[in-house]
Amino acid sequence: NMINERAYVPSDILTASNGKTIEIVNTDAEGRLTLADALVYADKEVGCESIIELSTLTGACMISLGKKVCGVWTSDDDLAKELETASKVTGDKSWRMPLEKEYNEQLKSKIADITNCGTRYGGAI
């Protein structure tokens, strides 16, 4: 991933658009950094009521659900029901994933607000 001298390396600290600092522990997790800034922008600048993000950022979801079912993460039960209905109507299979707060421990950093990658277990969560 190091395409030039400006590429980040493990132990670098980045500052996201919301001011949070992120310790780079895995340079193969760059997509989620871009996504995080895009979500902050959509929330703060555009004022979206809901944000639905579709991506293939992690192989961990495919390990969990296979190649024919997408993961859905939301704390909003009404939105989850809407997405479940859309899934059934379109035939695009989905499964609501848990949002386990205790897994946030995996993202703790001693030198930044968070790290850019957790451990192997629970990687999709």
Side-chain angles (χ1 to χ4, degrees):
N1 288 343
M2 192 162 194
I3 59 172
N4 65 32
E5 69 280 355
R6 293 180 51 208
Y8 59 76
V9 296
S11 79
D12 278 355
I13 305 294
L14 301 181
T15 302
S17 61
N18 64 356
K20 294 269 186 195
T21 55
I22 305 164
E23 176 189 3
I24 303 303
V25 295
N26 183 338
T27 57
D28 197 34
E30 73 282 358
R32 64 191 72 182
L33 298 171
T34 303
L35 173 61
D37 271 349
L39 292 173
V40 167
Y41 178 83
D43 183 43
K44 287 187 175 180
E45 302 297 327
V46 180
C48 299
E49 183 178 316
S50 294
I51 300 171
I52 299 172
E53 182 277 324
L54 306 168
S55 66
T56 57
L57 287 177
T58 177
C61 190
M62 288 194 318
I63 299 300
S64 299
L65 300 176
K67 293 182 177 181
K68 299 191 184 274
V69 181
C70 72
V72 174
W73 289 263
T74 181
S75 58
D76 183 327
D77 292 335
D78 292 332
L79 179 59
K81 286 179 185 170
E82 285 182 56
L83 293 171
E84 181 181 7
T85 299
S87 176
K88 288 178 181 175
V89 168
T90 63
D92 292 324
K93 298 175 184 175
S94 66
W95 187 260
R96 189 171 182 187
M97 301 293 281
L99 293 171
E100 291 295 327
K101 291 183 189 242
E102 62 197 54
Y103 286 0
N104 290 348
E105 292 290 317
Q106 295 181 12
L107 300 176
K108 285 195 172 181
S109 168
K110 292 181 181 178
I111 58 174
D113 294 317
I114 59 172
T115 64
N116 74 319
C117 192
T119 64
R120 179 178 182 195
Y121 300 103
I125 299 172

